[in-house]
Amino acid sequence: MQFQNPGEDRHSAGLRACLTRGVLYTRADIESANANAHFSEDEFLEYGRDRTRVTAPDFSVLVFPETTDEVAALIRYCYEQRLAVTASGGRTGLSGGAVAAHGEVVLSLSRMNRLIDFDPYLPALHVEAGMITAVAQEHAREHGCQFPLDLAASGSSQVGGNIATNAGGTRMISVGGLRDYVTGLTVVTGTGEILTFPGHILKNNSGFDLRSLFIGSEGCLGIITEAVIRLPPAPRTEATALFAVPDLAAALRLLTIVRSGGVRPLTFEYFDAASLQIVRQHLNLRAPFAAADYPGYVIMSWDESDQSMDAALEIFSSDAVASLALDVRVAGNSSQAAELWKFREGISESIALEARAVHKHDVSVPAAAMSEFVAEATKFLTAGFAGVRMLVFGHLGDGNLHLNFIPDDSEAGGADSGLESFRESLPALDAELFSRIARAGGSISAEHGIGLLKKKYLHYSRSQAEIQLMRGIKAVLDPGGILNPGKVLPAANE
Amino acid sequence: MQFQNPGEDRHSAGLRACLTRGVLYTRADIESANANAHFSEDEFLEYGRDRTRVTAPDFSVLVFPETTDEVAALIRYCYEQRLAVTASGGRTGLSGGAVAAHGEVVLSLSRMNRLIDFDPYLPALHVEAGMITAVAQEHAREHGCQFPLDLAASGSSQVGGNIATNAGGTRMISVGGLRDYVTGLTVVTGTGEILTFPGHILKNNSGFDLRSLFIGSEGCLGIITEAVIRLPPAPRTEATALFAVPDLAAALRLLTIVRSGGVRPLTFEYFDAASLQIVRQHLNLRAPFAAADYPGYVIMSWDESDQSMDAALEIFSSDAVASLALDVRVAGNSSQAAELWKFREGISESIALEARAVHKHDVSVPAAAMSEFVAEATKFLTAGFAGVRMLVFGHLGDGNLHLNFIPDDSEAGGADSGLESFRESLPALDAELFSRIARAGGSISAEHGIGLLKKKYLHYSRSQAEIQLMRGIKAVLDPGGILNPGKVLPAANE
C-alpha cells in the first residue's frame, strides 16, 4: 500500500484544524525554525524511532493531541484522506513497532499523561495513555499497592505503550500479565470512532471482548488514549535467595519444589555461567559463590510475610532442595539482595557493551520442554555455528527465555572476519531456533512483540489461518488500513 | 436468517460421515426408538436447553464428537451446507445462550471430557472442553492448587462452557476472573478451521490476541474444544467473619479499611435485610445477631496464613472498623463459618422457592457509584412500582450486584392481580434500571452473559459502534453465520 506523505502544505492545515489544545509540528517548521519549535530535527525524528536502530525514521508531521476527542478528530481526518498514522509512546520498543519510516503522521501521546482518578475499591488507577510507567508506579505505591508492571524501561515507557505491546517483566510469575489488569480502555479505532470499555467494574459479560484485542495490538487496531488498571497489593517484605544449579532442568524442578513447600515466588529468574561471566567482567564483580563456578543460577524472591525467612530456610535446607541446588546464598537484608540482583539485572547491558555484536531473541518455551530445547540448541550451535556463542537467561517461572547470541572471540580468524561470518550465520540460526520453538509449543516473541523486525518469523508462531483472521479483524477495526501499516502482519507478498 | 432444519434424511448421513469415534442421534431415532438411543425424547431435548425455561428447544440432530478433528469436520460440513450449530455444554446458563430452538445441529462436548495433562511448572491443567467443572476442581486440589472458578453450578457446568461464558463466581476479588487464567485454547472457527493457542507459556506477544475473543463469546465465534488453565495456589486456612452494616456505603468503606489494615479478602459479599429475611424464612434460621436486625450484612473470608486471626481481630476492633460496622461475628471454626455462609448462599434458592415470581438482574456498578445507584433504585421503585420489592445481594468486592425483584405480597389486591401488575411493570423497571447502570459506567450483565434473554438490552452496555464491530468480527470468524445464530447480537431489525 502506498501512503501519501502528508507534506506541510497538503495536510498540516487539515490536521491542525482537528486540535483545540494540542499542537502539531511539521518537519519544515523544525528545519526552518520558523515555528515555536522547541526541538531539533533529530529530536523531532526521535518521535518516530524506538530502541531498535534498524530502520531510520522519515516523516513530516508530528502531532501532540491533548484529549481523546482530538485523537478521534485526527484519525477521522487521516481515515478520510488515507494518511497512515503511527502512535508514539515512550518509544522503548525492541521490535520496531513504533518506527515511522514512510511518512506516517506521528501521533504522540506524551501530552496525555494525566491521572484521571484512583478507585479505592478495586483498587485501580484511571490514567491517560501517555503517563510514564514510573509515574503510574509511584501513584500505585502512594495507595499501598503495586503497579502490575515493572521493567527496565519504566522511566521512559508509557502506560498506553505498555498496553499496546502487552509489556511483560519479572513479576509475571506472581502478579500475572498486564493484560489481566487492564479493566478499562478508551480506544480510537481506524475510522476515528471512540470506544469506551468501562474499567471500574471487574465483571462485564455483555458481548464479545473487543477490549482484549487492543492489548498487544502494537498500534495496528486502535489508538489507546485512556486506561483503567487494577492494582495488586504491594508485596510486604521481600526476601531474596540465589541458588547455584547444575543445569536448567534442576532450576525448573527447584521451582516446583519450593512451591510445594509453600513458597510463592514473586520472581524466579535464571542465568547461565556464560551470562554470569560477562556481567562479572563488565561490572567487575566477585563470583557469587567463593567455592566454585557453577553451570547455572536461579535468583528468587518471595514475600516474607507470606513465608517467613526461618520457614524458607527450612525448605532450602531440605533434602529435596539439597538434591537440586549445588549452593545457596540468602540475602540478609535489602542491600545484600541488591548485590545479588546485580548478577541478573546487569546481563543485558553487559552483553551490549562487552560483546562485539549481539543477536537477541526473547522467546517462550513450555517449561516441560525447555531443558531439551536448550540442550538441542547448544548441540546444533556446536555442530553448525562454530563462531556463535549462546547466553541463556530469563524469566524461568514464566517459560520466558532471553537467548543472546554473540560472536565467539576465541574462534580462529581475525575479529572482523569473525563478525562477518557471525552475521551471515544468523538467518540459518533463526530458522533452526524458531522451528524448534514452534514444535515445542512456544512463542517466537514472548515480550517484545512483532513490530517490523519479527514479521518475517510470525508464521512460526501463528498459522496461516490465524494470520488471515488477523488481517480480517484489522480490516474491521481499521478499514482504511491507516493504523501503523506494515507492522505485525506480513504483506501477502512478504 | 433462515436455517434449514437438518432432518434425518437430508443431513444426518453427511454429519455421521464426519465421525469416526463420536456418535449422532436424530430426533427420529429417539422417537422410533430404532437406534441405540439410551435416552427419551425429553432427555434428547435437554441438550438444547439451559437453565432458562423461556424458549422451548426444537432440533433434530444431536451429535457427540470425541475429538477436535471430528468437531472441525462437523463444522466444515455445516459451513458448506449452511446448517446452524449450537454448542452444548453443561447447560447451566441463565441467559438462553445454549438454547437450540430453531433446528440447530446441537453439538455436545460431553464426551470430550478428558484430562490431557497437568503442567507442574505454571502450574496448569490442560483439559478437554467437556470436563465437568467439579472434576477440574478436584484435579487442581490433587496438585495443591485451586481451580480459578467456583460457582453454584460446578457439579454440572463444563470447563468449555465456563470459558465460552467467562463464568464468574465469588472468588473474583482474590483470584481474578477465569479470563485471566485461560492461557491456551483450541478452538474450531465457523469455517471448521482449528486454531491452537499454546497454553504452557505465560508470555506470548506474537500478533493480535485472538484467543481472548473466544472467552465470553457464548458459542458465536468458535467452538472451544480444549483449554489450558493456569491454577492459583490453594488458599491455606480460610477464616470468615460476618459484619452488620448500616448501609451499602458502609459496606464499601469497610472493604477499603480492612484492605488498608492488611487483610486481603478472598470473598467480600453483601446482602440486605430483605435478603436475610427470606433466607431465614425459607431455611428456618435464627438471626445472625441476637441483639438486633440490621439494614445490611457483609460476609468476608480471608487466608489466615496471610493475616492471622489475632491480627484480623485487632483490625476488626479498631476505631475505623467500629465506626462502620454495627456488629461483627467471627467464625471460630469451619462449621461456624459454614453456618455464616448459609445466610449468603441460601438467598437465590430461598427467593426461587418463597417468592411467587422473581425477576433477576445480575449487574455491575462501579463501587464508587453503587450506593447512590441503589438509593435511586429504591426511590424510583417506591415512587412508581408499588407492587415490586427489591432484594440486593452480591459480590460487592467485584462491583457485582444481584438485584432480585419480587411481587410485594403486602400490597392491596388479590395475589393474582398483584402478579399480573408485577409482570406488566417489568419492562419499564428494566429500562429505568439499565439506563442508570449505563450512566454509572456499569454493565447490564456482569456474569450471566447476553444469550437470548438480554439481547434487547445490549445497547445499554455497548454502543452502536461496538455492536457493529462485533458483527464485523463475527463475520470474520464465522462467515456463514452458522455458530449459535440469534444469540448475543441483535439482528438489525431487533
Side-chain angles (χ1 to χ4, degrees), chain A residues 240-423:
Chain A
T240 302
L242 181 76
F243 298 87
V245 289
D247 51 32
L248 195 60
L252 286 161
R253 283 205 305 279
L254 183 64
L255 173 60
T256 65
I257 283 173
V258 297
R259 265 219 197 98
S260 59
V263 174
R264 298 173 182 177
L266 298 171
T267 52
F268 195 91
E269 301 280 309
Y270 174 82
F271 50 94
D272 66 4
S275 302
L276 177 67
Q277 189 194 3
I278 209 163
V279 174
R280 287 187 53 205
Q281 179 184 327
H282 181 63
L283 298 178
N284 200 20
L285 299 175
R286 291 202 301 189
F289 297 100
D293 287 339
Y294 295 108
Y297 301 86
V298 165
I299 184 162
M300 180 184 88
S301 65
W302 72 97
D303 188 330
E304 222 193 311
S305 62
D306 183 57
Q307 188 70 255
S308 72
M309 186 59 87
D310 284 352
L313 288 176
E314 203 167 302
I315 295 163
F316 300 164
S317 59
S318 69
D319 288 350
V321 171
S323 73
L324 292 170
L326 304 170
D327 217 333
V328 56
R329 234 179 97 181
V330 180
N333 54 46
S334 62
S335 76
Q336 284 180 15
E339 288 300 310
L340 293 182
W341 272 106
K342 276 187 192 165
F343 296 116
R344 168 64 185 89
E345 288 177 342
I347 297 173
S348 280
E349 189 196 338
S350 301
I351 293 171
L353 296 171
E354 295 287 334
R356 286 182 300 142
V358 58
H359 181 61
K360 295 161 97 75
H361 284 306
D362 158 53
V363 304
S364 283
V365 178
M370 197 184 276
S371 187
E372 192 187 334
F373 166 78
V374 171
E376 275 191 17
T378 308
K379 211 184 292 173
F380 76 67
L381 275 176
T382 310
F385 299 87
V388 181
R389 284 182 65 205
M390 177 170 71
L391 286 70
V392 181
F393 58 99
H395 318 300
L396 207 61
D398 313 333
N400 180 191
L401 289 179
H402 295 297
L403 305 175
N404 280 226
F405 300 90
I406 60 175
D408 188 348
D409 292 337
S410 67
E411 277 299 294
D416 284 347
S417 82
L419 210 52
E420 199 179 314
S421 78
F422 170 77
R423 290 206 175 104

Side-chain angles (χ1 to χ4, degrees), chain A residues 119-123 165-170 172-173 176 179-180 189 193 195-198 200-213 215-218 220-221 230 233-236 252-253 255-256 259 262 264 303 305-307 364-368 395 397-400 441-450 458 461-463 465-466 469-470 472-474 476-477 488-489, chain B residues 119-123 165-170 172-173 176 179-180 189 193 195-198 200-213 215-218 220-221 230 233-236 252-253 255-256 259 262 264 303 305-307 364-368 395 397-400 441-450 458 461-463 465-466 469-470 472-474 476-477 488-489:
Chain A
D119 177 336
Y121 302 103
L122 289 182
T165 57
N166 188 33
T170 58
M172 196 112 169
I173 184 177
R179 175 181 296 287
D180 307 337
T189 69
E193 195 78 54
L195 307 181
T196 306
F197 304 110
H200 293 279
I201 53 179
L202 286 185
K203 290 177 176 168
N204 185 5
N205 283 341
S206 57
F208 309 151
D209 183 22
L210 301 181
R211 176 197 53 179
S212 295
L213 266 181
I215 304 172
S217 67
E218 304 189 40
C220 296
L221 300 180
R230 193 162 58 87
R236 288 174 274 202
L252 286 161
R253 283 205 305 279
L255 173 60
T256 65
R259 265 219 197 98
R264 298 173 182 177
D303 188 330
S305 62
D306 183 57
Q307 188 70 255
S364 283
V365 178
H395 318 300
D398 313 333
N400 180 191
S443 168
I444 61 150
S445 185
E447 299 187 304
H448 298 169
I450 299 298
L458 185 63
S461 272
R462 307 298 291 262
S463 67
E466 285 176 62
L469 291 172
M470 286 192 251
I473 282 166
K474 175 152 172 88
V476 170
L477 288 160
V488 181
L489 291 170
Chain B
D119 177 337
Y121 302 102
L122 290 184
T165 56
N166 189 32
T170 59
M172 196 112 169
I173 184 177
R179 176 181 296 285
D180 307 337
T189 69
E193 195 77 55
L195 307 182
T196 306
F197 304 110
H200 293 278
I201 53 179
L202 287 184
K203 291 176 176 168
N204 185 4
N205 284 340
S206 57
F208 309 152
D209 183 23
L210 301 180
R211 176 197 55 180
S212 294
L213 265 180
I215 304 171
S217 66
E218 304 190 39
C220 297
L221 300 181
R230 192 163 59 87
R236 289 173 272 202
L252 286 161
R253 283 205 304 280
L255 173 60
T256 65
R259 266 219 196 99
R264 299 174 183 178
D303 189 331
S305 62
D306 183 55
Q307 187 71 256
S364 283
V365 179
H395 318 300
D398 313 333
N400 180 191
S443 168
I444 60 150
S445 186
E447 299 187 304
H448 299 169
I450 299 298
L458 185 63
S461 272
R462 307 297 292 262
S463 67
E466 286 176 61
L469 291 171
M470 286 192 251
I473 283 167
K474 175 152 172 87
V476 171
L477 289 160
V488 181
L489 291 171

Side-chain angles (χ1 to χ4, degrees), chain A residues 77-272:
Chain A
Y77 182 89
C78 292
Y79 176 53
E80 283 157 14
Q81 304 289 331
R82 292 296 190 274
L83 305 179
V85 180
T86 292
S88 174
R91 303 176 311 283
T92 60
L94 296 168
S95 296
V99 170
H102 298 97
E104 295 91 339
V105 173
V106 174
L107 192 155
S108 168
L109 279 303
S110 295
R111 293 196 178 198
M112 293 183 66
N113 61 357
R114 285 162 286 242
L115 173 69
I116 298 171
D117 62 37
F118 169 72
D119 177 336
Y121 302 103
L122 289 182
L125 283 179
H126 185 176
V127 302
E128 288 184 328
M131 179 178 282
I132 300 290
T133 311
V135 174
Q137 289 171 341
E138 188 50 40
H139 285 301
R141 264 193 300 273
E142 275 166 27
H143 294 287
C145 301
Q146 62 177 310
F147 192 72
L149 176 73
D150 191 22
L151 66 176
S154 291
S156 42
S157 73
Q158 297 176 3
V159 172
N162 294 156
I163 296 170
T165 57
N166 188 33
T170 58
R171 309 225 150 229
M172 196 112 169
I173 184 177
S174 58
V175 301
L178 184 57
R179 175 181 296 287
D180 307 337
Y181 288 88
V182 178
T183 55
L185 277 185
T186 302
V187 180
V188 177
T189 69
T191 59
E193 195 78 54
I194 299 170
L195 307 181
T196 306
F197 304 110
H200 293 279
I201 53 179
L202 286 185
K203 290 177 176 168
N204 185 5
N205 283 341
S206 57
F208 309 151
D209 183 22
L210 301 181
R211 176 197 53 179
S212 295
L213 266 181
F214 297 100
I215 304 172
S217 67
E218 304 189 40
C220 296
L221 300 180
I223 311 276
I224 295 166
T225 60
E226 290 178 26
V228 184
I229 297 164
R230 193 162 58 87
L231 305 176
R236 288 174 274 202
T237 317
E238 209 164 300
T240 302
L242 181 76
F243 298 87
V245 289
D247 51 32
L248 195 60
L252 286 161
R253 283 205 305 279
L254 183 64
L255 173 60
T256 65
I257 283 173
V258 297
R259 265 219 197 98
S260 59
V263 174
R264 298 173 182 177
L266 298 171
T267 52
F268 195 91
E269 301 280 309
Y270 174 82
F271 50 94
D272 66 4

Side-chain angles (χ1 to χ4, degrees), chain A residues 52 66 410 446:
Chain A
T52 59
E66 296 221 3
S410 67

